[in-house]
Amino acid sequence: MARVPVYRVPRPAMPQISPPAVWRWVKWAILVVLILLGVRTAIYTIDTDSAGVVKRFGKYHRTTGPGIHLLFPFWIETATEVPVTRNQKEEFGFRTMQAGVDSRYLGLEELDRGQVPQDDLKTLIRESGEGTFGQSSSSLRSRAQEILRGEYIMLTGDLNVVDVEWIVQYKIKEPRQYLFNVRNPRYTIRDASQSVMRQLIGNGSVDEAITIGRIEYENAGKDMLQELLDEYETGIHIVTVKMQSSNPPLRVRPAFNEVNKSQQQKEQRINEAMKLYNEVIPKTIGEAKRVIETAKGYAAERVNQAEGDVAKFSKVLVEYQKAPEITRRRLYIETMGKVLPEIPEKWILEQGGAEGGILLKLDLDKQM
């Protein structure tokens, strides 16, 4: 069997690079990387709503405002951005999973209905500082219910249970204290807020927690929480404490609502009765006063008229005593002058004669 000749293609000769040239390229590459890294670590930018806290070897050095700034490179100095003008909030008893026009909330009612995405459950549990790896959907839901119940179920001073949901809005006023004095500012705010709210609810009654005392609780909660955080030197300013809702437990809520409805109907009936009272009584009192004043005026008029008649009669009596016949005739004529015009028919009778009789009928009214 004949052998097939094998032809080998000669390889091109590799250029020979001397070790000094390689070392020179490596040095230049390292120098360029160091320059770029130095520039990258020496320049930082702070947003308009934030402040920059600069640390040198891990220790606080200075605070800078918004804009572009320089610091020592290669992590000799590092800058941490802290939002100092932004309103931040913490929610208790519920969570806002999506804010906007179609806001989506996660509370106990949504958990009881079972219409909660699993991602929302994991987010709630993760924000509470617990892990969610390897948990089923039912266990995630049960754990989320426990977290929310632990936040909003509270005992009042008269040994009643209420469900309280509230919001705490705050700002960072001292970035240095916020970063260095508290290990976890967010959990510190949550723990302090729950402590203050439970103290307020525990010192009052269920009626104060649900109806008449909510405004007082909000104002007192803000002041007490601010005082507590200032004592801890957290560098946090509380903007507001707002109670979103405060209701009896879900199982007894219908009965409580019926009681409130009855009380409202009672107050409505009382208000309607008071309205009718205010409409009728003052009118009646005014009418009585009017009748009394009318009677007084009539009495005064009758008395004055009687006194005038007495005075007139006294004067006539004096004149009568002076000339009785003349005065009698005058009185007769004056009286007939008042009586005759009221008579519709007037007859003249014959005076004298044996038979007498009607002499003439005068139709004076027709003639007039």
Side-chain angles (χ1 to χ4, degrees), residues 88-96 105-107 147-155 162-170 186-202 209 214-215 217-222 224-225 229 238 240-247:
Q88 305 183 59
K89 71 175 180 178
E90 293 295 333
E91 299 170 333
F92 300 87
F94 74 102
R95 299 292 187 275
T96 302
Y105 301 97
L106 177 57
I147 292 173
L148 293 180
R149 285 196 183 98
E151 291 178 355
Y152 70 75
I153 294 180
M154 298 185 184
L155 185 66
V162 293
D163 297 343
V164 182
E165 297 178 355
W166 75 98
I167 292 176
V168 175
Q169 293 183 350
Y170 65 94
R186 180 172 179 269
Y187 290 139
T188 301
I189 295 174
R190 296 189 66 85
D191 294 341
S193 178
Q194 290 196 57
S195 174
V196 168
M197 190 59 66
R198 291 183 186 278
Q199 180 181 353
L200 291 173
I201 298 296
R214 294 182 58 175
I215 303 299
Y217 284 166
E218 291 175 354
N219 297 331
K222 176 184 175 182
M224 293 174 63
L225 183 57
L229 294 177
I238 301 299
T240 183
V241 174
K242 181 68 175 178
M243 296 179 67
Q244 292 294 101
S245 66
S246 54
N247 298 299

Side-chain angles (χ1 to χ4, degrees), residues 73-302:
F74 303 111
W75 297 281
I76 296 174
E77 291 183 345
T78 57
T80 303
E81 187 174 0
V82 179
V84 293
T85 61
R86 185 190 313 165
N87 275 341
Q88 305 183 59
K89 71 175 180 178
E90 293 295 333
E91 299 170 333
F92 300 87
F94 74 102
R95 299 292 187 275
T96 302
M97 309 309 299
Q98 179 181 350
V101 179
D102 298 329
S103 298
R104 190 174 74 252
Y105 301 97
L106 177 57
L108 187 61
E109 295 183 2
E110 288 78 12
L111 291 174
D112 291 338
R113 289 196 298 264
Q115 302 175 352
V116 180
Q118 191 171 0
D119 293 338
D120 293 347
L121 297 175
K122 291 182 178 180
T123 301
L124 187 148
I125 297 173
R126 193 180 303 113
E127 288 181 352
S128 359
E130 302 182 11
T132 60
F133 180 75
Q135 296 185 6
S136 62
S137 177
S138 59
S139 61
L140 289 174
R141 180 168 167 268
S142 300
R143 185 54 189 153
Q145 288 177 337
E146 292 178 3
I147 292 173
L148 293 180
R149 285 196 183 98
E151 291 178 355
Y152 70 75
I153 294 180
M154 298 185 184
L155 185 66
T156 62
D158 53 359
L159 302 182
N160 287 296
V161 177
V162 293
D163 297 343
V164 182
E165 297 178 355
W166 75 98
I167 292 176
V168 175
Q169 293 183 350
Y170 65 94
K171 290 182 179 180
I172 301 172
K173 61 179 180 179
E174 293 292 340
R176 179 180 180 180
Q177 294 181 356
Y178 180 80
L179 291 179
F180 292 95
N181 292 356
V182 184
R183 177 172 297 179
N184 197 322
R186 180 172 179 269
Y187 290 139
T188 301
I189 295 174
R190 296 189 66 85
D191 294 341
S193 178
Q194 290 196 57
S195 174
V196 168
M197 190 59 66
R198 291 183 186 278
Q199 180 181 353
L200 291 173
I201 298 296
N203 291 334
S205 64
V206 63
D207 293 332
E208 292 175 346
I210 294 177
T211 55
I212 60 177
R214 294 182 58 175
I215 303 299
E216 289 76 6
Y217 284 166
E218 291 175 354
N219 297 331
K222 176 184 175 182
D223 297 337
M224 293 174 63
L225 183 57
Q226 185 66 66
E227 182 179 356
L228 186 59
L229 294 177
D230 290 343
E231 183 179 352
Y232 294 158
E233 297 182 354
T234 58
I236 295 172
H237 170 67
I238 301 299
V239 178
T240 183
V241 174
K242 181 68 175 178
M243 296 179 67
Q244 292 294 101
S245 66
S246 54
N247 298 299
L250 192 60
R251 294 183 179 180
V252 299
R253 195 171 298 173
F256 189 87
N257 292 334
E258 289 297 328
V259 174
N260 284 339
K261 184 178 179 180
S262 301
Q263 292 178 350
Q264 292 175 0
Q265 290 178 352
K266 175 184 175 182
E267 294 178 356
Q268 182 180 0
R269 297 294 186 272
I270 293 175
N271 293 333
E272 291 176 355
M274 291 301 298
K275 178 182 177 182
L276 183 61
Y277 175 86
N278 293 329
E279 290 178 354
V280 174
I281 297 302
K283 181 179 179 181
T284 306
I285 293 175
E287 185 69 19
K289 290 182 178 179
R290 186 185 66 81
V291 172
I292 292 173
E293 295 298 328
T294 303
K296 289 181 179 179
Y298 179 75
E301 180 183 359
R302 297 295 295 176

